[in-house]
Amino acid sequence: GLQWSVSIKSGPRKEKCHCTSGCSSNWTIKTWNTDCLFISRCLNQMEKNGVSVDDVFSQCVFQQDEGDMVLKAVRSVQPDYQPHFNLIKNEYFSPLVKDFYAQKGDYQYPKLDLTQKELQERFKRQLSIEQACTVTIDSVEISKPVTAKIIKMWHKILLQALRESRMNLAQNKDDRFSLYPYLCLLKDEEYVDVMIQTIAKMPMSGDALKFVAGELGQKIYSKYTVHQKQQNHITDKLVNIYNDYTELLAKDTKVYNDLPRERWCKLEMENIAGPTVQAGSTNWPYIITLELGTFLVNIMVKNLKINSDIINPSHTRQLIPILYHMYAFRSTRQIGFIKPHPILSHIQQEAMQIKLTFDSNVIPMLCPPVPWCSVKFGAYLLTPTKLMRAMEGATQHEKLLEKSQNIQPVLDSLNQLGNCPWKINKPVLDIIISIFNDRGCDKLDIPPPLSEAPKVTYSFDPTHTSADKVRLRKEMIEAKKKTTEMHSMRMDALYKLSIANHLRDEIFWFPHNMDFRGRTYPCPPYLNHLGSDVTRAILQFAEGKPLGPKGLDWLKIHLVNLTGLKKNSSLQGRLEYATTIMEDILDSADNPLHGGKWWMDVDEPWQALACCMEIANAVRSPDPTQFISHFPVHQDGSCNGLQHYAALGRDVIGATSVNLVPCELPQDVYSVVAQQVEELRALDAKKNVKIAKILEGFINRKVVKQTVMTVVYGVTRYGGRLQIAKRLKEIDVFPKEHVWSASNYLVHLVFSGLKEMFKGTRQIQDWLTESARFISKSGHTVEWMTPLGLPIIQPYHQTQSKVFFILSIQCLCFLSFLRMPDTVKQKNAFPPNFIHSLDSTHMMLTALHCYSADLTFVSVHDCFWTHALTVDTMNKVCREQFVALHSQPILQELSNFLLNKYCSSPP
């Protein structure tokens, strides 16, 4: 704990001790020299062990002023020492991105259309939100407010119960594990607020105890982590670094050639004093969060009560619990369930809250995310976020990521996706909200209120026969199920629309992370561009660009794509069709709810309506080429999984069917397979095959599409039969008694057709499956490296049930991973997971090169979005990177990796 402040002068002298104990001893220069000698010996030993002082500062995690103390100690023997960090050099990167990093000094990366002062103000607002850990917003639903008196009463009851339970816990000396320390980390009111939020969002049908408890425990952990960062002064240092970081993004500052990750790392080097900003939060074990959450659930179940006459005053007044702990069967397993009393459900239906409270990490950010600089640091300012999503209990991927030294291209692509600013399409949002508050619309995917739910009650009547009673019970069960589903969908829509309405005048960002295969996802779960047609329609780019000479054409083509029509037409044919329906387009834009309503009958109605409005505004502008468009235009892959397989296997016929070969007209593999199946059916019909005759006129693109799409991801014949059966059931005139035999017949024809078209695909799938079987049989999990250097490991292990007695509510049983892999899952999942990893690699390469080309770019897996002006440029980059990816010896490199990894003496 000593801090030196000695300057060497001639002759002996004394210095005041500055140790943390606060003593007043005087230390002679001789003592100081002894300490310097000790430090020198430490530094020499580090050098012998291959550890430099720079390694200490680049790899150690310092809290508060620990780093400053170490620096002072080193400078006592090396006065001129200055920490120096080396960024990863591009020679360690994949050949796919070596040139990108070598030439990055020639690029001018895009700036945001915001000044540095505006970005700094936005940072302050986001920081205050994350410090509070929650956001309260207005609900868009027109309804009566829930009685504030009830909430206030619950808050008081829970506060008292928490304090009493914690006191009892502290006095229980024999408890095998005490939760007491975890109940002292936050203010009592914060625990209660989390419990109240849980009650407000409780589904009508209830939830599994393990899920409710896990969510509660995780929320407490997140709050604790944020508080710790504030206490350790990490927040103060973050403010300084982020304010300087905005200079890279702001439009009124000089141009840098640094990537966001590089710029942040340099700023951290320049701000070496104080705690380590990139210090990863120590995760609590899953069992800890589960026990803590269960403790809080137990308090709610035991103490929260409500007057039984709150709905019907004529009933006898008595206090009844609002939450019940019960058991329910899921398949063959009995699980604990937390279910709300119907009175609570009635309150939720009749008196929805005017205010909704969300955790800060489920709301889009009001400032650009912190760039991912390591596997433990990035995305939100304070809220802990995992770089890679995974199943609870799976930790192998975390260890692999920590050892990985060359995943910077992956981090840079995530940063590029997260740095795209968004805004709300207010005209479309207002129309959706008006329908939402006017009894919804199933056709337009706007869920109705619960007042529209079927109301069937079972009442005993002596005249009812046994068959009548069975029918009534069945109707009652179906009505309850329908009501529960409607409530779930209604609440989901309410959350999305309320968040969108809250952000209607804002610019916001979606931080991104990825799953274990490398596929990227926005972190905010409710409102993001990976959502449904409704959600996508209300999002648009915050920064607009002029349409240019071809932008209006791309808007029209995009609209035709959204309709689901003209799939086999050329781009020129689609453009000509858009011109013929221009009257419908303008009518839809001008009178969406009272006109011809053409937009309501297409595949993606809400996105089509938004596109109609954009086209109408553009054609009515003085110069459409100069019209500033914020609308995202999509370019979707043609059965992307089969594209990768066709490229890997060099299947010319298959490649043609998925548009990897130039053709006059766009190819549609689903239509091609449907045509093949129809030809085979016609031959069988001539041979008097009964089911072939029954299927005449019913085989089309829609029937086979899902099976063709998913066969590349490992769907079995049984799974394919279920998919086809579902499509046949949707055809009203198809005889339902033949659905099963017809689906069994068709799935064989679909698989046979694909086998002929994609000969190399089946061979590759078989090789991957057999390789995974051998690897897992030898006791290992399947691991590989993507062409960008991202390590991937399949998290499928044999499991065993472990039972934990948690407090007094119930025994909790959860699956514990064993070391042995699950052979069936390992071999079945390897082919689709490997293709998903290639898919994500292609997207990341496209993202990096679009960024260097000054393009706005986001993705929904294999669907790429950009401005209408830059569609052609993005298409060029997309194709170039696909060719570059498959010009690599992907299968050969995979084979070499597996041989070296799993063979004791590889050939």
Side-chain angles (χ1 to χ4, degrees):
L2 292 177
Q3 300 183 34
W4 292 273
S5 57
V6 178
S7 57
I8 303 300
K9 293 184 180 179
S10 58
R13 66 190 183 89
K14 293 185 177 180
E15 284 292 330
K16 187 97 171 187
C17 177
H18 298 287
C19 71
T20 54
S21 61
C23 72
S24 56
S25 305
N26 289 327
W27 291 77
T28 64
I29 197 73
K30 180 178 179 181
T31 305
W32 179 80
N33 285 334
T34 302
D35 292 330
C36 289
L37 179 62
F38 174 74
I39 294 170
S40 296
R41 287 167 56 193
C42 289
L43 295 177
N44 290 335
Q45 187 63 46
M46 286 169 54
E47 187 176 355
K48 290 179 181 178
N49 294 339
V51 179
S52 68
V53 181
D54 287 342
D55 291 336
V56 174
F57 285 97
S58 62
Q59 298 180 31
C60 289
V61 174
F62 298 118
Q63 304 288 347
Q64 298 183 0
D65 63 345
E66 292 173 351
D68 301 341
M69 295 169 66
V70 173
L71 184 60
K72 288 181 180 180
V74 173
R75 283 178 175 169
S76 67
V77 294
Q78 297 179 14
D80 298 329
Y81 171 75
Q82 185 65 32
H84 178 70
F85 305 96
N86 289 320
L87 294 175
I88 301 296
K89 296 182 179 179
N90 64 338
E91 58 259 28
Y92 299 108
F93 291 155
S94 161
L96 290 168
V97 290
K98 259 191 175 181
D99 291 342
F100 172 82
Y101 285 97
Q103 300 168 10
K104 73 181 187 65
D106 301 330
Y107 305 140
Q108 288 191 359
Y109 300 111
K111 293 265 195 176
L112 298 177
D113 192 22
L114 295 164
T115 65
Q116 186 174 18
K117 184 177 180 181
E118 288 173 328
L119 287 172
Q120 290 172 349
E121 287 297 321
R122 290 180 170 278
F123 165 75
K124 289 180 183 178
R125 293 172 60 197
Q126 178 64 29
L127 185 64
S128 65
I129 289 173
E130 293 194 37
Q131 286 175 328
C133 296
T134 57
V135 183
T136 301
I137 67 177
D138 294 328
S139 169
V140 298
E141 188 164 36
I142 300 174
S143 55
K144 302 174 185 177
V146 69
T147 309
K149 184 179 179 181
I150 297 177
I151 297 294
K152 188 176 180 180
M153 178 187 68
W154 288 348
H155 196 282
K156 183 178 179 180
I157 291 172
L158 289 175
L159 193 61
Q160 182 179 351
L162 173 67
R163 290 168 177 169
E164 291 176 356
S165 299
R166 185 175 56 200
M167 186 180 299
N168 293 336
L169 200 63
Q171 294 171 354
N172 186 5
K173 305 296 184 182
D174 298 328
D175 200 334
R176 65 178 181 83
F177 173 76
S178 178
L179 284 174
Y180 182 79
Y182 294 91
L183 295 166
C184 302
L185 298 175
L186 308 175
K187 295 178 180 178
D188 293 348
E189 289 77 7
E190 292 182 276
Y191 291 99
V192 174
D193 287 342
V194 171
M195 289 188 275
I196 294 292
Q197 292 171 35
T198 301
I199 298 168
K201 294 184 179 180
M202 180 72 68
M204 288 177 59
S205 58
D207 247 329
L209 170 63
K210 191 160 64 173
F211 176 79
V212 177
E215 289 280 302
L216 267 169
Q218 192 61 36
K219 288 181 179 181
I220 300 299
Y221 164 73
S222 296
K223 282 179 174 285
Y224 165 73
T225 302
V226 171
H227 290 335
Q228 281 295 103
K229 289 180 179 179
Q230 292 176 270
Q231 291 177 8
N232 290 332
H233 306 297
I234 291 177
T235 304
D236 298 333
K237 188 171 181 179
L238 182 71
V239 171
N240 296 330
I241 294 176
Y242 196 97
N243 283 336
D244 292 336
Y245 171 69
T246 56
E247 193 172 2
L248 174 76
L249 307 174
K251 65 180 180 181
D252 59 342
T253 56
K254 69 177 184 178
V255 175
Y256 289 87
N257 297 120
D258 293 333
L259 293 164
R261 171 186 56 83
E262 295 172 335
R263 182 62 184 158
W264 187 278
C265 290
K266 287 180 181 178
L267 291 171
E268 280 206 61
M269 296 176 200
E270 296 169 4
N271 291 268
I272 189 64
T276 305
V277 174
Q278 291 194 31
S281 305
T282 303
N283 292 324
W284 291 352
Y286 177 58
I287 187 62
I288 297 295
T289 58
L290 199 61
E291 289 208 42
L292 179 59
T294 307
F295 181 87
L296 299 177
V297 170
N298 195 34
I299 291 176
M300 292 191 290
V301 170
K302 285 185 174 180
N303 296 279
L304 285 182
K305 295 181 176 10
I306 196 168
N307 289 323
S308 59
D309 64 345
I310 191 170
I311 298 175
N312 192 340
S314 63
H315 287 175
T316 305
R317 184 182 181 89
Q318 60 178 338
L319 287 177
I320 57 175
I322 66 168
L323 296 176
Y324 288 87
H325 174 243
M326 55 184 293
Y327 290 93
F329 279 95
R330 289 295 178 268
S331 185
T332 58
R333 296 174 56 211
Q334 188 183 39
I335 64 171
F337 224 70
I338 302 298
K339 188 174 177 63
H341 191 280
I343 288 181
L344 180 61
S345 302
H346 184 85
I347 293 174
Q348 290 177 334
Q349 296 175 40
E350 300 297 327
M352 298 299 298
Q353 296 185 57
I354 288 180
K355 299 287 185 181
L356 299 173
T357 302
F358 295 95
D359 295 327
S360 58
N361 63 330
V362 305
I363 304 292
M365 295 182 67
L366 298 181
C367 69
V370 173
W372 284 105
C373 299
S374 69
V375 298
K376 290 187 175 182
F377 180 76
Y380 292 98
L381 305 180
L382 299 176
T383 309
T385 309
K386 289 184 178 180
L387 173 66
M388 187 172 279
R389 307 177 180 196
M391 301 163 56
E392 283 294 349
T395 58
Q396 285 178 299
H397 67 283
E398 294 179 358
K399 298 174 182 177
L400 274 180
L401 286 173
E402 290 174 6
K403 293 178 183 177
S404 186
Q405 297 293 323
N406 56 350
I407 64 167
Q408 283 71 21
V410 174
L411 302 181
D412 289 335
S413 64
L414 284 173
N415 295 335
Q416 190 276 341
L417 297 173
N419 270 347
C420 175
W422 297 84
K423 71 174 185 176
I424 296 297
N425 189 332
K426 290 188 280 189
V428 175
L429 175 63
D430 290 338
I431 296 171
I432 294 173
I433 291 176
S434 68
I435 296 178
F436 179 81
N437 283 322
D438 186 26
R439 297 196 293 184
C441 178
D442 286 332
K443 180 181 177 181
L444 297 176
D445 200 24
I446 307 297
L450 288 182
S451 58
E452 302 298 309
K455 292 180 173 59
V456 179
T457 56
Y458 177 74
S459 58
F460 176 75
D461 190 326
T463 61
H464 286 164
T465 64
S466 297
D468 291 335
K469 293 176 182 179
V470 170
R471 177 180 55 80
L472 286 172
R473 287 193 189 100
K474 187 175 180 180
E475 289 177 358
M476 184 182 66
I477 292 171
E478 288 296 323
K480 285 185 176 180
K481 182 181 177 182
K482 179 68 174 177
T483 301
T484 300
E485 291 174 352
M486 287 178 62
H487 178 262
S488 178
M489 295 172 65
R490 181 74 176 182
M491 294 304 295
D492 181 66
L494 173 66
Y495 294 158
K496 290 176 180 176
L497 295 179
S498 297
I499 293 172
N501 194 54
H502 175 70
L503 298 169
R504 64 184 298 123
D505 298 314
E506 295 281 4
I507 296 174
F508 49 90
W509 287 260
F510 298 126
H512 280 62
N513 61 2
M514 57 187 173
D515 65 15
F516 76 93
R517 302 163 301 184
R519 300 197 98 183
T520 59
Y521 300 86
C523 296
Y526 294 118
L527 180 71
N528 61 61
H529 57 287
L530 262 69
S532 63
D533 173 52
V534 175
T535 308
R536 294 184 186 187
I538 58 181
L539 292 173
Q540 57 184 6
F541 295 135
E543 296 181 6
K545 290 188 178 181
L547 287 178
K550 294 182 64 178
L552 182 57
D553 290 347
W554 274 117
L555 284 176
K556 293 178 180 178
I557 292 170
H558 177 58
L559 174 61
V560 176
N561 292 341
L562 291 170
T563 65
L565 307 171
K566 306 297 179 182
K567 288 185 177 291
N568 295 323
S569 299
S570 65
L571 295 182
Q572 184 60 36
R574 299 181 195 192
L575 183 59
E576 291 172 357
Y577 174 73
T579 304
T580 63
I581 60 170
M582 185 57 67
E583 185 177 339
D584 291 328
I585 294 173
L586 297 178
D587 175 69
S588 297
D590 296 337
N591 302 291
L593 299 180
H594 305 290
K597 302 179 184 178
W598 166 85
W599 63 277
M600 292 187 181
D601 298 317
V602 302
D603 283 359
E604 308 285 352
W606 288 109
Q607 292 178 79
L609 175 62
C611 195
C612 288
M613 292 180 172
E614 191 79 356
I615 292 173
N617 292 334
V619 297
R620 289 165 177 168
S621 64
D623 183 0
T625 62
Q626 297 302 313
F627 174 76
I628 303 301
S629 174
H630 297 262
F631 194 86
V633 175
H634 311 170
Q635 298 288 278
D636 204 349
S638 303
C639 198
N640 192 245
L642 283 174
Q643 286 182 325
H644 285 291
Y645 268 126
L648 289 171
R650 303 301 194 258
D651 283 328
V652 176
I653 297 176
T656 303
S657 68
V658 289
N659 295 299
L660 294 185
V661 176
C663 297
E664 291 184 6
L665 297 176
Q667 300 298 301
D668 180 29
V669 65
Y670 310 117
S671 298
V672 173
V673 173
Q675 183 180 349
Q676 281 187 336
V677 170
E678 171 58 23
E679 291 173 357
L680 293 173
R681 184 211 62 79
L683 291 175
D684 287 341
K686 291 180 180 178
K687 298 176 184 177
N688 292 322
V689 176
K690 181 181 177 181
I691 194 63
K693 291 182 177 180
I694 294 173
L695 280 166
E696 184 175 359
F698 292 109
I699 296 175
N700 55 38
R701 181 182 187 274
K702 186 177 181 180
V703 170
V704 303
K705 178 180 178 180
Q706 188 179 13
T707 305
V708 174
M709 184 189 304
T710 55
V711 72
V712 68
Y713 297 126
V715 71
T716 61
R717 289 181 185 269
Y718 178 76
R721 184 168 70 168
L722 292 177
Q723 293 169 344
I724 292 174
K726 186 176 180 180
R727 298 287 84 82
L728 292 175
K729 288 177 182 177
E730 293 172 355
I731 303 175
D732 293 334
V733 295
F734 186 80
K736 300 299 184 288
E737 64 272 15
H738 296 294
V739 165
W740 200 241
S741 57
S743 61
N744 186 47
Y745 171 76
L746 288 178
V747 74
H748 287 282
L749 297 185
V750 170
F751 272 69
S752 298
L754 286 172
K755 191 173 182 179
E756 287 300 316
M757 291 174 60
F758 297 87
K759 294 181 179 179
T761 296
R762 178 54 63 183
Q763 295 174 342
I764 296 170
Q765 282 184 321
D766 291 343
W767 175 67
L768 293 172
T769 301
E770 280 298 292
S771 298
R773 187 174 69 85
F774 285 129
I775 291 168
S776 56
K777 282 288 186 182
S778 66
H780 299 282
T781 50
V782 181
E783 178 185 337
W784 70 96
M785 192 83 69
T786 72
L788 265 187
L790 178 68
I792 296 177
I793 188 167
Q794 295 194 144
Y796 312 121
H797 297 78
Q798 294 180 17
T799 58
Q800 67 178 8
S801 297
K802 286 191 175 181
V803 178
F804 287 84
F805 184 74
I806 299 182
L807 303 176
S808 59
I809 192 165
Q810 76 167 63
C811 293
L812 277 184
C813 173
F814 65 93
L815 298 179
S816 173
F817 290 102
L818 302 176
R819 294 181 62 87
M820 292 300 296
D822 185 323
T823 302
V824 174
K825 289 184 178 179
Q826 289 284 342
K827 72 182 184 66
N828 289 342
F830 186 28
N833 285 340
F834 178 70
I835 294 300
H836 278 310
S837 71
L838 290 184
D839 184 29
S840 71
T841 298
H842 174 232
M843 186 281 297
M844 290 176 178
L845 288 170
T846 306
L848 291 175
H849 286 83
C850 283
Y851 189 54
S852 63
D854 195 12
L855 265 68
T856 299
F857 173 88
V858 293
S859 76
V860 180
H861 304 315
D862 65 332
C863 181
F864 299 163
W865 298 16
T866 191
H867 287 93
L869 173 69
T870 53
V871 170
D872 290 303
T873 307
M874 185 189 70
N875 285 343
K876 181 174 180 292
V877 172
C878 170
R879 287 158 171 74
E880 288 174 349
Q881 295 313 308
F882 189 91
V883 171
L885 173 63
H886 284 283
S887 296
Q888 301 294 312
I890 295 174
L891 295 180
Q892 184 62 56
E893 289 178 351
L894 175 63
S895 174
N896 294 339
F897 180 89
L898 297 179
L899 288 170
N900 291 322
K901 176 77 177 177
Y902 300 108
C903 296
S904 56
S905 54

